[in-house]
Amino acid sequence: MVTYTDILEAQKRISSLVERTPILTSSTIDKMTDSAVFFKCENLQRVGAFKFRGALNAVYQLSNEQRAAGVVAHSSGNHAQALALAASLLDVKSTIIMPKNSPAVKVNATRGYGAEIIFCENTVNSRVETAERIVKERGSVLIHPYDNDHIIAGAGTAALELLQEVQDLDVIIAPVGGGGLLSGSSIAAKGFNPDIRVLAGEPSGADDAFRSLRDGTIYPSVDPQTIADGLRTNLSERTFSIIRDNVERIILVTDVEIVRAMRLHWERMKLVVEPSGAVPLAALLKERDSLAGAKIGVIISGGNVDLDPFFSQYKGLHVKCYL
Amino acid sequence: MVTYTDILEAQKRISSLVERTPILTSSTIDKMTDSAVFFKCENLQRVGAFKFRGALNAVYQLSNEQRAAGVVAHSSGNHAQALALAASLLDVKSTIIMPKNSPAVKVNATRGYGAEIIFCENTVNSRVETAERIVKERGSVLIHPYDNDHIIAGAGTAALELLQEVQDLDVIIAPVGGGGLLSGSSIAAKGFNPDIRVLAGEPSGADDAFRSLRDGTIYPSVDPQTIADGLRTNLSERTFSIIRDNVERIILVTDVEIVRAMRLHWERMKLVVEPSGAVPLAALLKERDSLAGAKIGVIISGGNVDLDPFFSQYKGLHVKCYL
């Protein structure tokens, strides 16, 4: 069970290698919500997402033997890149299992951070089996993207920094998918001050966490339909029990509301935020009447989104990427 | 003639209403350039551009009589919105002259900041004549976007903050169009430490400042061809003489190089930067060999760019803007 102390210790452990991301405000959004909103910009974190915090915290706590055997994860998203970079910075070998139809840009980015990529079929079974085979063959340690205490404690350091820098927050809002970020944020908030209210945003097309909390049982995420691709996973026993204890309410938002919030981040705050990262602002806007007058901390979880739709307007210029 | 003291005083005058914008770094860009680069993010300034600093400094220094008569500018760009907001915050009436074919989004944004919009024909003559007529009829004060000491001193406060926060910068790079930002930045840099080298980036399709400095005479900007729409103007006598005295060199960059730099800002730094704002990074990348090992401050001038090409991918969702 992750404690507030674990998050304080994680903060000390990882602070020299994580970015202390800026906390930004927007007078437009304050006016729209009639509240004071402080955005913790984890889209500006290394690898473009909060995931780097947990991955680094996990790799730091390997034994020497485990370090020598390396780490493994199955992910085609932010966790893969986060673990690859964290491992590489600490001279640990990383192996990432990816479906063979993964976009080349993600494969190359993860490889660029130093990981070995092993391809599998595009099914959950194949991913799990391939990962288990690597663990067996190499003795590598499987690092789950959220069902892992070190990952949760590391994720909680983003909210902790926000709480330490902005006095007297009334509310913290984070997105929920598998629940790692929300778990860590809620432990940080309640540990810092038990009166802080913790809210979550979840896509209505992937509302398994909402239903799980309502009914007191974990529902799997079956065929989720949302553009927030980072939030399509379901809770684990570990994240479910933390969230049940700490989180007041999950606010459901539609994809239309997510895109509106995303556009506000881009247009008014000049921040590139991925759909999952805009879910907390969408939730805040939906609940603005009940939250009016509050001092609110919002975690922007990440900013990794395909920019081709924007930059293709310049394709007559024959721009090649540097990287 | 603007002095370093003017910039220090401008900083005191405007500090409570301007955003002290964050200074961000990117390990990717440091690696690419083999240098340490500090980005002063004026795209995160109010109205999305450094222009707010100068406009606010100018409005603050009006006499009571002038305040009562209001301010006027002809601009369809960032200066218009900056002046409208600055005036509105200080309870001064603003009138902005815009060509009648200006995009509705710019007209509405400027009106949203409290300005009265007066339309003119789409010619320089019509803009100037209309502005002169308003000045004559109302006694309003015309605030030029860069050929104005208060505007230049205000613009210089961005570089000043950067110099105060980051110790021992070797080089400062700013974009050049009319030369207001470059003038202010160069006076701030040389006043802070005469040994700091000041460089500028300019689009090769609008290279009038480069040619003006080379030949010692101001060339007009004739039919400039560049996507960096904020940099299509030419120097004034005022900015020419400041730049001639303080700036080591103007580095020309192509539109392809500007888009590459812009994409780096978006993709690796998660910052929405307009083409003009990416010109200094483009210049730095072009000169990376000669700048290797240096500690470099870069001014990102603004982030106002049409985001429809990105968000139109979601149009099936029928997203309406909040604002």
Side-chain angles (χ1 to χ4, degrees):
Chain A
M1 178 69 186
V2 182
T3 65
Y4 182 57
T5 307
D6 292 330
I7 298 176
L8 291 169
E9 282 170 5
Q11 185 180 40
K12 276 184 226 155
R13 194 175 291 122
I14 67 179
S15 65
S16 69
L17 289 177
V18 299
E19 195 68 42
R20 189 166 183 116
T21 52
I23 295 164
L24 299 177
T25 60
S26 159
S27 54
T28 302
I29 292 172
D30 283 358
K31 238 177 266 173
M32 288 172 69
T33 58
D34 193 21
S35 60
V37 191
F38 298 84
F39 294 95
K40 179 65 172 169
C41 296
E42 286 297 298
N43 57 328
L44 307 183
Q45 187 52 266
R46 297 178 83 163
V47 311
F50 77 95
K51 294 275 186 186
F52 179 63
R53 294 175 181 269
L56 187 64
N57 191 43
V59 177
Y60 257 127
Q61 287 176 87
L62 299 173
S63 67
N64 286 342
E65 207 170 87
Q66 288 173 319
R67 284 191 184 221
V71 291
V72 59
H74 46 86
S75 162
S76 54
N78 292 336
H79 177 60
Q81 295 180 44
L83 187 64
L85 178 61
S88 145
L89 289 171
L90 301 182
D91 279 325
V92 172
K93 179 175 163 49
S94 65
T95 307
I96 307 293
I97 318 295
M98 282 187 170
K100 61 184 181 190
N101 62 353
S102 298
V105 58
K106 294 203 170 185
V107 175
N108 291 335
T110 309
R111 201 175 268 146
Y113 287 119
E116 176 188 352
I117 311 295
I118 293 184
F119 293 102
C120 65
E121 299 301 316
N122 186 25
T123 65
V124 174
N125 276 355
S126 171
R127 285 165 70 156
V128 172
E129 277 166 23
T130 311
E132 281 171 357
R133 179 169 58 77
I134 299 296
V135 168
K136 203 170 283 176
E137 284 174 12
R138 307 186 181 177
S140 304
V141 182
L142 183 71
I143 309 283
H144 192 277
Y146 55 89
D147 191 32
N148 175 312
D149 283 351
H150 300 324
I151 293 285
I152 291 172
T157 59
L160 183 62
E161 288 177 6
L162 176 58
L163 293 155
Q164 289 166 340
E165 273 180 53
V166 181
Q167 303 300 307
D168 303 322
L169 285 176
D170 301 305
V171 181
I172 288 256
I173 312 181
V176 60
L181 178 63
L182 180 58
S183 292
S185 302
S186 73
I187 294 167
K190 293 296 183 185
F192 189 85
N193 173 359
D195 293 337
I196 294 176
R197 300 166 58 195
V198 181
L199 302 176
E202 186 177 38
S204 54
D207 65 347
D208 55 282
F210 174 86
R211 289 183 289 110
S212 299
L213 254 74
R214 184 191 60 194
D215 299 345
T217 181
I218 298 175
Y219 291 112
S221 178
V222 180
D223 194 24
Q225 296 295 332
T226 174
I227 57 165
D229 53 336
L231 305 179
R232 291 177 188 148
T233 43
N234 51 253
L235 301 180
S236 67
E237 291 290 348
R238 189 187 316 257
T239 57
F240 174 79
S241 72
I242 296 169
I243 292 169
R244 189 190 50 203
D245 292 348
N246 292 330
V247 176
E248 181 180 311
R249 196 152 74 84
I250 293 177
I251 299 154
L252 296 179
V253 292
T254 65
D255 276 10
V256 168
E257 291 165 329
I258 294 169
V259 172
R260 275 183 193 158
M262 199 175 156
R263 186 155 188 159
L264 271 173
H265 281 306
W266 290 48
E267 207 153 71
R268 307 303 298 218
M269 300 183 71
K270 310 301 176 192
L271 292 177
V272 175
V273 175
E274 62 188 69
S276 305
V279 164
L281 175 57
L284 164 58
L285 289 167
K286 193 153 198 171
E287 284 298 310
R288 54 182 145 184
D289 291 340
S290 74
L291 293 170
K295 200 162 172 181
I296 302 168
V298 165
I299 316 275
I300 299 178
S301 53
N304 291 326
V305 58
D306 179 8
L307 294 172
D308 275 346
F310 181 84
F311 283 96
S312 62
Q313 69 181 299
Y314 301 119
K315 68 182 173 220
L317 294 172
H318 300 295
V319 178
K320 275 180 212 153
C321 202
Y322 264 105
L323 300 170
Chain B
M1 179 70 187
V2 182
T3 65
Y4 183 57
T5 307
D6 292 330
I7 298 175
L8 291 169
E9 281 169 6
Q11 185 180 40
K12 277 185 222 155
R13 193 176 291 123
I14 66 179
S15 65
S16 69
L17 289 177
V18 299
E19 195 68 42
R20 190 166 181 116
T21 52
I23 295 165
L24 300 177
T25 59
S26 159
S27 54
T28 303
I29 292 172
D30 282 358
K31 239 178 265 172
M32 288 172 70
T33 58
D34 193 22
S35 58
V37 191
F38 298 84
F39 294 95
K40 179 64 172 170
C41 296
E42 287 297 298
N43 57 327
L44 308 181
Q45 187 51 265
R46 297 178 80 163
V47 312
F50 77 96
K51 294 274 187 187
F52 179 64
R53 295 174 181 268
L56 187 64
N57 191 43
V59 177
Y60 256 127
Q61 288 176 86
L62 298 173
S63 67
N64 286 342
E65 207 170 86
Q66 288 173 320
R67 283 190 186 222
V71 290
V72 58
H74 46 86
S75 162
S76 55
N78 291 337
H79 178 60
Q81 296 180 43
L83 188 64
L85 177 60
S88 146
L89 289 170
L90 301 182
D91 279 325
V92 171
K93 179 174 164 49
S94 65
T95 308
I96 307 292
I97 318 296
M98 281 187 171
K100 62 185 181 189
N101 62 351
S102 299
V105 58
K106 294 205 169 183
V107 175
N108 292 335
T110 309
R111 201 176 267 144
Y113 287 118
E116 178 188 350
I117 311 295
I118 293 184
F119 293 102
C120 64
E121 300 301 316
N122 187 25
T123 64
V124 174
N125 276 353
S126 171
R127 286 164 72 157
V128 173
E129 277 165 23
T130 310
E132 281 172 358
R133 179 169 60 77
I134 299 297
V135 168
K136 204 170 281 178
E137 283 174 14
R138 305 185 182 178
S140 304
V141 181
L142 182 72
I143 308 282
H144 192 277
Y146 56 89
D147 190 31
N148 175 312
D149 283 351
H150 300 325
I151 292 286
I152 291 172
T157 60
L160 184 62
E161 287 176 9
L162 176 57
L163 293 155
Q164 288 166 341
E165 273 180 53
V166 181
Q167 304 301 307
D168 303 323
L169 286 175
D170 301 306
V171 180
I172 289 256
I173 312 181
V176 59
L181 178 62
L182 180 58
S183 293
S185 302
S186 72
I187 294 166
K190 293 297 183 183
F192 190 85
N193 173 358
D195 292 337
I196 294 177
R197 299 166 57 194
V198 181
L199 302 176
E202 186 177 36
S204 54
D207 65 347
D208 54 284
F210 174 85
R211 289 182 290 111
S212 299
L213 255 73
R214 184 193 58 194
D215 298 345
T217 183
I218 299 175
Y219 292 112
S221 178
V222 180
D223 193 25
Q225 296 296 331
T226 174
I227 56 166
D229 54 338
L231 305 179
R232 292 177 188 149
T233 43
N234 52 253
L235 302 179
S236 68
E237 291 290 348
R238 190 186 316 257
T239 56
F240 173 79
S241 72
I242 296 170
I243 292 169
R244 188 191 48 200
D245 291 350
N246 292 330
V247 175
E248 180 179 313
R249 195 150 75 83
I250 293 178
I251 298 154
L252 296 179
V253 292
T254 66
D255 276 10
V256 168
E257 290 166 329
I258 294 169
V259 171
R260 276 182 193 159
M262 199 175 155
R263 186 156 189 159
L264 271 173
H265 281 306
W266 290 49
E267 206 153 72
R268 307 303 300 218
M269 300 184 71
K270 309 302 176 192
L271 292 177
V272 174
V273 175
E274 61 188 69
S276 305
V279 164
L281 176 56
L284 164 57
L285 290 168
K286 193 151 197 171
E287 284 299 310
R288 53 181 146 185
D289 291 339
S290 73
L291 293 171
K295 200 161 172 184
I296 302 168
V298 165
I299 317 274
I300 300 179
S301 53
N304 291 325
V305 58
D306 179 9
L307 295 171
D308 275 345
F310 182 85
F311 284 96
S312 62
Q313 69 181 300
Y314 301 119
K315 69 183 174 219
L317 295 171
H318 300 296
V319 177
K320 275 180 212 153
C321 201
Y322 264 104
L323 299 171

